[in-house]
Amino acid sequence: MLEITPTHYLVLSAGLFMIGVIGVMVRRNIIIIFMSIELMLNAVNVNLAAFSQQWQHVTGQVFAVFVIAVAAAEAAVGLGIILAFYRNKETVNIDEMNVMRW
Amino acid sequence: MPAGFSAADFYNILPELVLTGGALLVLIVDVLTARQQRGLLAWVTLGVLVATLLALLPFSDVNTVASRGLLAIDGFAFFFKLVFLLTALVTVLMSSSYIEVEGLRAGEYYFLILCATLGMMFMASGIDLITIFIGLETMAVAFYILAGFLKPNRRSNEAAVKYFLLGAFSLGLLLYGMSILYGLSGTTNVRELATVLASQERNALLIVGLVMVVAGIGFKIAAVPFHMWAPDVYEGAPTPVTAFLSVGSKAASFAMLLRLFMEGLPFLADMWQPMFWVLAVMSMTVGNLAALTQSNIKRMLAYSSIAHAGYLLIGVVANSSRGVTAMMIYLLLYVFMQLGAFAVVVMLRRQDVAGDELKDLSGLYFRYPTAAVAMLFFMLSLGGLPPTAGFMGKFWLFSAAIESGFIWLAVIGVLNSAVSLYYYIRVVVFMWMKEEALGSPIVASPSMAVALTVALAGAVVFGVYPRPLFELAQESAQSIGGVAAAVSALSF
């Protein structure tokens, strides 16, 4: 039987994190980019939970709960901002953000 | 393990508690007052900030750890909290006329300014990864909303979206780095981190974590190559918000950087010094060169603030108590110069003029000599010409670098300051040597006049008589050094 070690969790979270980073880089839809960022934050949570298990204390899990709470607050504000942008522009494509030079 | 918090824990965060209560008070007053009396809100906000300042003053000599090792109440935190409150005060003073011209909702605006200040204060005193990150987010989320506060304005929308996406992305990087640091050490306390990690062997994971944290903070201080958001956000956001963002958020991020690297990772200095060396050189060079061609004042000041992040990073690279002192002095002086420059830009915003293009400054001297002379001082100060405050700040930064043996870094810094004079002087040329710009007359409201006076007084007085500031900063910088002694004092 294969034992699940912290290394396995690290590989999982590194994979999730990379998917998130690549998503931010290549996708053009603001909502999808935002979802990719959430994926990065969830990679952080996997890390924290795994390390918490490894050290046999709850600090990491408390940290993860804070990350989840902050991600939720950020999502609320972020979606509001994206909505305000959509109302003026009728699009959520990041290439259409061209009022100012990038 | 003791359960719960003691009364001392609550006393130690008294300034933060006052600020939190005050922010809620602003919201309540907003609901209770009629639309015509909203001018009252600015007064309430000013009152809250002054009350916080008064609550902060007894802590000037305190050096303790509060809330079970989550917060350090020390000279370093005291100095930075002073900087944040001063910044918020001047920002609120210059906001009231702008809010009227743009027709903004004053209640939420002031509430968010206070929330951002609260976040900054926790960033400066947090010595636990969790506290630092919660403080950072309290500040950042408030700034995301403030950047997009002009809802019908497409530039403001864009600024908010860009700031939000890159801010959240950088948070992901920073947290991933922090999670690795926690995983390797088994603690989230910055001071314990230092003792635990110092005895461990270095491995690849630690380097990954370090790079992630540097990148995450690089975004927050807008250092090249993590600066892409800054020019757009600075241009699109409402001008007083830009002012607050460029000074407050930068100072808070540097406070966080110093806590994390000087207190938490001092034994890795040989690894992060080269990284910050590269960031400093790139920020100074790219920031100054890009600023040369800008025609929008807010955009120009954005690139100039990127360059200033580069100058400030010199103090980090120096990695000495002198470097920290120099950074703290520079940040406080930067409050006056940068806020003053933005105050003049805010004043140019009138019913029929956007006021953020360089040509809007044309001939300012002939119509409004006082404003033009003030702007002249701020520009010379930002450029670092003696005998202004900016010169003093740069002098200390560069001498700290030389003392630590980074002579080349100081040379590059001096050369960059020379380049930067070109675009600062260009503003002066527009004010003195161009035809007068059209548009309705500029009226400085009394609060704006106070804001300008405070900024000008700071930039002038500390330029010729910096001694008290130097002593305060030197004393405050000491508390960030003694790491090992403080760890044993933790009340776990």
Side-chain angles (χ1 to χ4, degrees), chain B residues 8 30 109 144 174 264 277 344 352 376 430 439 441 453:
Chain B
D30 180 40
Y109 178 88
Y144 299 152
L174 182 67
W277 199 97
V344 174
D352 53 343
L376 169 74
F430 266 89
T453 315

PDB file of all heavy atoms in Angstrom, chain B residues 8 30 109 144 174 264 277 344 352 376 430 439 441 453:
ATOM      1  N   ALA B   8      -4.417  43.642  29.054  1.00  0.00           N
ATOM      2  CA  ALA B   8      -3.250  44.296  28.470  1.00  0.00           C
ATOM      3  C   ALA B   8      -3.244  44.135  26.952  1.00  0.00           C
ATOM      4  O   ALA B   8      -2.831  45.043  26.220  1.00  0.00           O
ATOM      5  CB  ALA B   8      -1.979  43.702  29.066  1.00  0.00           C
ATOM      6  N   ASP B  30     -23.037  58.677   8.323  1.00  0.00           N
ATOM      7  CA  ASP B  30     -23.428  58.782   6.914  1.00  0.00           C
ATOM      8  C   ASP B  30     -24.913  58.479   6.752  1.00  0.00           C
ATOM      9  O   ASP B  30     -25.627  59.151   6.004  1.00  0.00           O
ATOM     10  CB  ASP B  30     -22.586  57.804   6.089  1.00  0.00           C
ATOM     11  CG  ASP B  30     -22.942  57.856   4.622  1.00  0.00           C
ATOM     12  OD1 ASP B  30     -23.161  58.977   4.130  1.00  0.00           O
ATOM     13  OD2 ASP B  30     -22.992  56.805   3.975  1.00  0.00           O
ATOM     14  N   TYR B 109     -16.535  56.403   1.061  1.00  0.00           N
ATOM     15  CA  TYR B 109     -15.171  56.815   0.729  1.00  0.00           C
ATOM     16  C   TYR B 109     -14.317  56.939   1.986  1.00  0.00           C
ATOM     17  O   TYR B 109     -13.255  56.319   2.105  1.00  0.00           O
ATOM     18  CB  TYR B 109     -15.224  58.144  -0.035  1.00  0.00           C
ATOM     19  CG  TYR B 109     -13.877  58.700  -0.403  1.00  0.00           C
ATOM     20  CD1 TYR B 109     -13.265  58.330  -1.584  1.00  0.00           C
ATOM     21  CD2 TYR B 109     -13.217  59.585   0.445  1.00  0.00           C
ATOM     22  CE1 TYR B 109     -12.025  58.833  -1.917  1.00  0.00           C
ATOM     23  CE2 TYR B 109     -11.980  60.095   0.119  1.00  0.00           C
ATOM     24  CZ  TYR B 109     -11.397  59.714  -1.065  1.00  0.00           C
ATOM     25  OH  TYR B 109     -10.168  60.212  -1.383  1.00  0.00           O
ATOM     26  N   TYR B 144      -8.856  48.221  -3.582  1.00  0.00           N
ATOM     27  CA  TYR B 144      -9.496  47.781  -4.826  1.00  0.00           C
ATOM     28  C   TYR B 144     -10.771  48.589  -5.058  1.00  0.00           C
ATOM     29  O   TYR B 144     -11.040  49.057  -6.164  1.00  0.00           O
ATOM     30  CB  TYR B 144      -9.876  46.296  -4.772  1.00  0.00           C
ATOM     31  CG  TYR B 144      -8.733  45.326  -4.578  1.00  0.00           C
ATOM     32  CD1 TYR B 144      -8.940  44.099  -3.967  1.00  0.00           C
ATOM     33  CD2 TYR B 144      -7.452  45.622  -5.025  1.00  0.00           C
ATOM     34  CE1 TYR B 144      -7.902  43.195  -3.781  1.00  0.00           C
ATOM     35  CE2 TYR B 144      -6.416  44.734  -4.839  1.00  0.00           C
ATOM     36  CZ  TYR B 144      -6.646  43.529  -4.210  1.00  0.00           C
ATOM     37  OH  TYR B 144      -5.630  42.645  -4.018  1.00  0.00           O
ATOM     38  N   LEU B 174       2.548  35.379  -2.681  1.00  0.00           N
ATOM     39  CA  LEU B 174       3.035  35.645  -1.324  1.00  0.00           C
ATOM     40  C   LEU B 174       2.605  34.533  -0.372  1.00  0.00           C
ATOM     41  O   LEU B 174       3.408  34.019   0.419  1.00  0.00           O
ATOM     42  CB  LEU B 174       2.481  36.998  -0.858  1.00  0.00           C
ATOM     43  CG  LEU B 174       2.915  37.468   0.519  1.00  0.00           C
ATOM     44  CD1 LEU B 174       4.391  37.769   0.518  1.00  0.00           C
ATOM     45  CD2 LEU B 174       2.145  38.705   0.925  1.00  0.00           C
ATOM     46  N   GLY B 264      12.541  38.082  10.216  1.00  0.00           N
ATOM     47  CA  GLY B 264      12.221  36.685  10.015  1.00  0.00           C
ATOM     48  C   GLY B 264      13.293  35.891   9.289  1.00  0.00           C
ATOM     49  O   GLY B 264      13.507  34.722   9.571  1.00  0.00           O
ATOM     50  N   TRP B 277      18.920  43.687  -4.748  1.00  0.00           N
ATOM     51  CA  TRP B 277      19.880  44.513  -5.496  1.00  0.00           C
ATOM     52  C   TRP B 277      19.402  44.680  -6.937  1.00  0.00           C
ATOM     53  O   TRP B 277      19.292  45.781  -7.459  1.00  0.00           O
ATOM     54  CB  TRP B 277      21.238  43.804  -5.469  1.00  0.00           C
ATOM     55  CG  TRP B 277      22.422  44.662  -5.767  1.00  0.00           C
ATOM     56  CD1 TRP B 277      23.232  45.245  -4.847  1.00  0.00           C
ATOM     57  CD2 TRP B 277      22.943  45.016  -7.055  1.00  0.00           C
ATOM     58  NE1 TRP B 277      24.220  45.956  -5.496  1.00  0.00           N
ATOM     59  CE2 TRP B 277      24.068  45.837  -6.840  1.00  0.00           C
ATOM     60  CE3 TRP B 277      22.575  44.745  -8.363  1.00  0.00           C
ATOM     61  CZ2 TRP B 277      24.821  46.372  -7.870  1.00  0.00           C
ATOM     62  CZ3 TRP B 277      23.313  45.278  -9.403  1.00  0.00           C
ATOM     63  CH2 TRP B 277      24.426  46.075  -9.152  1.00  0.00           C
ATOM     64  N   VAL B 344      -1.550  69.315  -5.365  1.00  0.00           N
ATOM     65  CA  VAL B 344      -1.639  70.316  -6.427  1.00  0.00           C
ATOM     66  C   VAL B 344      -2.435  69.746  -7.606  1.00  0.00           C
ATOM     67  O   VAL B 344      -3.274  70.444  -8.200  1.00  0.00           O
ATOM     68  CB  VAL B 344      -0.229  70.755  -6.876  1.00  0.00           C
ATOM     69  CG1 VAL B 344      -0.321  71.686  -8.068  1.00  0.00           C
ATOM     70  CG2 VAL B 344       0.496  71.429  -5.730  1.00  0.00           C
ATOM     71  N   ASP B 352     -14.772  71.755 -15.241  1.00  0.00           N
ATOM     72  CA  ASP B 352     -14.600  71.593 -16.681  1.00  0.00           C
ATOM     73  C   ASP B 352     -13.211  71.101 -17.069  1.00  0.00           C
ATOM     74  O   ASP B 352     -12.916  70.957 -18.242  1.00  0.00           O
ATOM     75  CB  ASP B 352     -14.885  72.937 -17.384  1.00  0.00           C
ATOM     76  CG  ASP B 352     -14.064  74.067 -16.788  1.00  0.00           C
ATOM     77  OD1 ASP B 352     -13.547  73.877 -15.667  1.00  0.00           O
ATOM     78  OD2 ASP B 352     -13.932  75.115 -17.422  1.00  0.00           O
ATOM     79  N   LEU B 376       6.867  73.599  -7.193  1.00  0.00           N
ATOM     80  CA  LEU B 376       8.307  73.661  -7.461  1.00  0.00           C
ATOM     81  C   LEU B 376       9.085  72.957  -6.348  1.00  0.00           C
ATOM     82  O   LEU B 376       9.965  72.136  -6.607  1.00  0.00           O
ATOM     83  CB  LEU B 376       8.730  75.124  -7.577  1.00  0.00           C
ATOM     84  CG  LEU B 376      10.243  75.392  -7.595  1.00  0.00           C
ATOM     85  CD1 LEU B 376      10.817  74.990  -8.940  1.00  0.00           C
ATOM     86  CD2 LEU B 376      10.553  76.844  -7.314  1.00  0.00           C
ATOM     87  N   PHE B 430       6.762  73.855 -17.540  1.00  0.00           N
ATOM     88  CA  PHE B 430       5.370  74.075 -17.940  1.00  0.00           C
ATOM     89  C   PHE B 430       4.736  75.185 -17.102  1.00  0.00           C
ATOM     90  O   PHE B 430       4.019  76.030 -17.624  1.00  0.00           O
ATOM     91  CB  PHE B 430       4.561  72.781 -17.785  1.00  0.00           C
ATOM     92  CG  PHE B 430       4.495  71.988 -19.055  1.00  0.00           C
ATOM     93  CD1 PHE B 430       5.457  71.048 -19.364  1.00  0.00           C
ATOM     94  CD2 PHE B 430       3.442  72.193 -19.949  1.00  0.00           C
ATOM     95  CE1 PHE B 430       5.393  70.330 -20.531  1.00  0.00           C
ATOM     96  CE2 PHE B 430       3.377  71.471 -21.115  1.00  0.00           C
ATOM     97  CZ  PHE B 430       4.352  70.530 -21.417  1.00  0.00           C
ATOM     98  N   GLY B 439      -9.690  77.422 -18.744  1.00  0.00           N
ATOM     99  CA  GLY B 439     -10.489  76.710 -17.745  1.00  0.00           C
ATOM    100  C   GLY B 439     -10.901  77.617 -16.619  1.00  0.00           C
ATOM    101  O   GLY B 439     -10.359  78.711 -16.448  1.00  0.00           O
ATOM    102  N   PRO B 441     -11.510  79.156 -12.858  1.00  0.00           N
ATOM    103  CA  PRO B 441     -10.479  79.440 -11.857  1.00  0.00           C
ATOM    104  C   PRO B 441     -10.311  78.299 -10.863  1.00  0.00           C
ATOM    105  O   PRO B 441     -11.255  77.555 -10.579  1.00  0.00           O
ATOM    106  CB  PRO B 441     -10.982  80.704 -11.158  1.00  0.00           C
ATOM    107  CG  PRO B 441     -12.373  80.887 -11.597  1.00  0.00           C
ATOM    108  CD  PRO B 441     -12.582  80.145 -12.849  1.00  0.00           C
ATOM    109  N   THR B 453      -0.216  73.223   3.095  1.00  0.00           N
ATOM    110  CA  THR B 453       0.697  73.838   4.051  1.00  0.00           C
ATOM    111  C   THR B 453       1.463  72.781   4.831  1.00  0.00           C
ATOM    112  O   THR B 453       2.673  72.890   5.022  1.00  0.00           O
ATOM    113  CB  THR B 453      -0.090  74.732   5.034  1.00  0.00           C
ATOM    114  OG1 THR B 453      -1.010  75.500   4.277  1.00  0.00           O
ATOM    115  CG2 THR B 453       0.838  75.635   5.797  1.00  0.00           C
TER     116      THR B 453
END
